[in-house]
Amino acid sequence: MSSQHAHDHDHDHDHSHAPPVSQDNERRIFIAMLLTGGFMVAEIIGGLLSGSLALIADAGHMATDTAALALAWLAFRLSKRPADARRSYGYHRGEVLAAFVNGIAMIALVVWIFVEAIRRLFEPVEVLGGVMLWIAVGGLAVNCVAFWLLHTGSRDNLNVRGAAVHVAGDLLGSIAAIIAAGVIIKTGWTPVDPLLSMAVALLVLRSAWFITRQSAHILMEGAPQDLDPAAIGSDLLNTIEDLEDVHHIHIWCLTQERPLVTLHARIKDEANPDQMLKTISSRLLDRFNIEHVTVQIEKTDCI
């Protein structure tokens, strides 16, 4: 029994088995972080002065988002560090970890908004609609720019998507604050403020739960949804003539865009192991877009 290792021929063995992190994604997150953090102060002051929960909730979103965007940016920076003896795959998982923390933070914030909103429904407070309106309009403009920056970035990157979820929550929060301010100015009905805050929180919760669940799946070494071990084994057996059996197929992700596969392949006695190795890895790249594969070639039954 012999072991062979298939790898993208364009990479050296001391690399992290993955394409470089996009400079554009990193730049977009950094600019969004500056915009969000800069306006956060204005929303905190405006929320306290006006007494608006919608503004305070949106300011809370922005405070959390500033930290989340900073964490996402830091993850991109860390992922550029080369692999070493202690971290043979490098620091790419930092992106997934950042997305997971972002999702948990958003879920916690949603819980806080609900608790505060329910309290205000039973104990209404005075809300200054005029101050609330102007601050909310400014927040909407900043959030639109930040969301555009992230939404037009890489949609396949879980870290960017996690950051975009945070900013989307801020954008929705600003819209809710504008609507609430308009109702309060026109009618003086203050319960609209906590009610709209709860509506926005539900929308944010759905996206935050998706990001948290998906990043947790990657951290738990789960297989990508579009890659089925049985389908991969069947495809290899049906397309490669000298292949007798494929087993011990394991699939996981380093990040959302970087699937990894290990498998055992039993070949016919007359087959060339090196050629079979190239054929298997080429098929996995062409058919399933898997660049990094570790293949153990066998000519006898697996022990």
Side-chain angles (χ1 to χ4, degrees):
M1 181 170 64
S2 61
S3 294
Q4 304 286 342
H5 178 248
H7 188 268
D8 184 352
H9 297 166
D10 293 332
H11 291 259
D12 295 328
H13 285 284
D14 59 348
H15 285 186
S16 58
H17 310 297
V21 175
S22 169
Q23 290 281 350
D24 182 61
N25 286 337
E26 181 184 333
R27 180 180 59 84
R28 287 172 182 272
I29 282 187
F30 184 73
I31 295 174
M33 178 186 68
L34 293 180
L35 288 172
T36 303
F39 199 78
M40 173 192 68
V41 177
E43 282 219 315
I44 291 174
I45 295 174
L48 293 175
L49 290 177
S50 66
S52 167
L53 177 61
L55 274 187
I56 293 174
D58 201 34
H61 277 157
M62 283 195 158
T64 305
D65 291 353
T66 301
L69 289 168
L71 186 60
W73 178 77
L74 180 61
F76 276 125
R77 301 292 294 181
L78 284 174
S79 66
K80 293 181 179 179
R81 296 179 63 177
D84 53 39
R86 299 285 292 177
R87 297 173 182 83
S88 59
Y89 280 109
Y91 292 79
H92 294 280
R93 272 288 174 86
E95 297 180 28
V96 183
L97 182 59
F100 180 75
V101 173
N102 288 351
I104 293 295
M106 284 301 293
I107 292 173
L109 187 60
V110 166
V111 173
W112 176 82
I113 290 172
F114 261 89
V115 172
E116 182 65 15
I118 292 172
R119 187 185 69 82
R120 289 199 175 199
L121 285 175
F122 289 98
E123 301 176 8
V125 299
E126 183 182 2
V127 179
L128 303 178
V131 175
M132 178 183 175
L133 179 62
W134 285 110
I135 296 295
V137 169
L140 178 63
V142 170
N143 289 324
C144 283
V145 174
F147 184 75
W148 175 82
L149 281 170
L150 297 174
H151 188 66
T152 53
S154 175
R155 298 186 181 182
D156 293 328
N157 187 282
L158 192 60
N159 202 28
V160 174
R161 289 172 58 194
V165 167
H166 280 266
V167 176
D170 280 336
L171 196 153
L172 293 172
S174 295
I175 294 175
I178 291 173
I179 295 174
V183 172
I184 291 170
I185 291 172
K186 289 289 186 179
T187 67
W189 191 58
T190 57
V192 68
D193 183 54
L195 287 174
L196 284 177
S197 297
M198 294 170 70
V200 171
L202 285 175
L203 295 175
V204 174
L205 180 62
R206 180 179 179 275
S207 297
W209 173 250
F210 176 79
I211 292 295
T212 302
R213 184 180 63 181
Q214 195 167 14
S215 56
H217 181 73
I218 294 175
L219 291 173
M220 292 295 293
E221 309 290 357
Q225 291 184 351
D226 57 341
L227 293 176
D228 177 32
I232 289 177
S234 176
D235 178 83
L236 292 176
L237 288 172
N238 290 331
T239 56
I240 301 177
E241 183 177 353
D242 290 333
L243 189 62
E244 292 187 337
D245 186 38
V246 180
H247 51 278
H248 291 321
I249 302 175
H250 298 283
I251 309 174
W252 72 101
C253 286
L254 187 60
T255 67
Q256 190 180 29
E257 311 97 329
R258 301 177 176 96
L260 307 170
V261 173
T262 64
L263 59 87
H264 291 200
R266 190 174 77 244
I267 63 176
K268 295 180 179 179
D269 289 338
E270 63 271 19
N272 183 295
D274 291 335
Q275 184 58 48
M276 288 295 292
L277 180 62
K278 292 179 181 179
T279 302
I280 292 171
S281 56
S282 295
R283 178 60 183 177
L284 290 173
L285 178 60
D286 295 340
R287 174 65 178 84
F288 299 99
N289 197 30
I290 301 173
E291 295 184 359
H292 182 77
V293 185
T294 300
V295 179
Q296 179 165 300
I297 298 293
E298 303 168 346
K299 287 194 174 183
T300 60
D301 291 336
C302 182
I303 299 177

